[in-house]
Amino acid sequence: MMKRAISTAGLSAAIGLVAAAASAQGLAGGTLALETSAFFEEGAIGHTSYSGGLQFDIGLGFGAAVDLASYGFSGFGADGSNATLHALYDFGPFVMGLDGAVVGAFVGRDDYEEGDAEIYGIEAAASVFGLRGEGYLAHHDGTRGGAAVAGLSARYEITPAIFAMGEIGFADADEEGALTRVALGGGYRIDGGPRLWGELGRIEAEDEAFGGDETFLAIGAEIGFGALSGTSFGTRSLFDVVPGL
C-alpha cells in the first residue's frame, strides 16, 4: 500500500511539474467527460468513468497533455483510477492529405484494489474527408502481469451537429488471455455545449479472459474547451478496454 501511494504520488507530481512548465507556453485545450454502461449478461448497471484532460502548447508543433480518470465498476463509486502523461507533435493542417495529424508517446498508471500497473506506448490521430481516426499501441505491466493493449477509434461528422462513431480495443494478457471489444454508436453536439453520445458494443473473450463475453450499452457526455475544443488524445488505460477488471 505504501509503495502504491508513493508511486501514485510520484506520477502525480511529475504530471504537475510538466503541466506547470507547459502552461507557461499556453493552454491549447481541455475536456471533461462522463460515461456509464450497462452490461446485459452480467445484469449490472453503473460501470462508470469520469475523466478530464488538459493540453498545452510548448512551441514549434510540440505539446504536452495530462489526463486523469476515475472508474466505478459496480455502481458510481471509485474502484480504479488512471493518470496519463502525453508528449506529442502536431504536424498542422493538411500534411500528406491529412488534416490535423498528431503523433505522440505516453506513459500512465492504473490503480485498482488488487494492485497497480504502468502503461506506456505510442499514439496517432488524423482527419480526412470528415473522418477523424485515432489509434494506439501500448504495453501494460503490473501486479497481474503484463498485457499488450491496442485500440482504434473513428468519428465521422455527418453534419456539424450529428456524428457517427466506432471503436475496437484489444488486450492480450500473460495470465488472463485475449479479449476484443467492438462498439458502434453516434451522437449529437449541442451548439456551444457538450457532445452527447451512445453506443452498443460487444466484448469477446478467449477462454473467459477478464471475466468472459459481454454485450453492453454505453451513454456519455463530453465537453471541450480552449482553442482545440478538447485534446488530441485521451486517457490510456486497460480499464477503457476491460471495464470491471
Side-chain angles (χ1 to χ4, degrees):
M1 182 64 71
M2 180 64 69
K3 178 181 177 182
R4 172 179 169 184
I6 292 173
S7 299
T8 302
L11 182 60
S12 298
I15 288 175
L17 288 173
V18 172
S23 64
Q25 301 301 319
L27 176 68
T31 184
L32 293 171
L34 166 67
E35 175 185 344
T36 188
S37 303
F39 285 75
F40 297 152
E41 280 89 342
E42 185 180 332
I45 298 175
H47 287 62
T48 305
S49 68
Y50 313 85
S51 61
L54 294 173
Q55 183 169 322
F56 303 91
D57 285 329
I58 295 176
L60 301 176
F62 291 96
V66 292
D67 291 283
L68 298 174
S70 176
Y71 301 87
F73 304 139
S74 56
F76 295 89
D79 302 309
S81 63
N82 171 269
T84 308
L85 173 64
H86 309 257
L88 55 93
Y89 180 77
D90 189 334
F91 288 92
F94 300 109
V95 174
M96 298 179 62
L98 301 175
D99 186 21
V102 183
V103 296
F106 61 88
V107 60
R109 185 176 184 85
D110 284 336
D111 283 297
Y112 48 99
E113 281 189 10
E114 297 180 17
D116 47 53
E118 284 73 43
I119 184 169
Y120 52 89
I122 56 176
E123 54 197 351
S127 297
V128 58
F129 300 120
L131 178 69
R132 181 70 177 177
E134 179 180 332
Y136 70 93
L137 293 171
H139 181 74
H140 189 270
D141 188 21
T143 307
R144 298 179 61 168
V149 186
L152 288 172
S153 62
R155 187 178 72 247
Y156 181 70
E157 305 290 341
I158 300 172
T159 72
I162 300 172
F163 60 92
M165 54 190 282
E167 63 177 356
I168 181 169
F170 176 77
D172 188 358
D174 296 339
E175 298 181 9
E176 295 277 359
L179 173 148
T180 303
R181 172 190 174 109
V182 180
L184 293 173
Y188 182 80
R189 180 183 289 105
I190 299 173
D191 188 24
R195 289 203 313 257
L196 308 176
W197 57 267
E199 64 180 9
L200 180 66
R202 178 71 178 170
I203 294 173
E204 292 286 345
E206 175 186 276
D207 298 327
E208 298 298 309
F210 298 104
D213 300 344
E214 275 287 358
T215 300
F216 65 91
L217 176 67
I219 58 173
E222 180 182 46
I223 188 166
F225 53 89
L228 294 177
S229 293
T231 56
S232 297
F233 303 113
T235 57
R236 298 297 183 219
S237 171
L238 187 60
F239 302 139
D240 294 325
V241 181
V242 188
L245 176 65

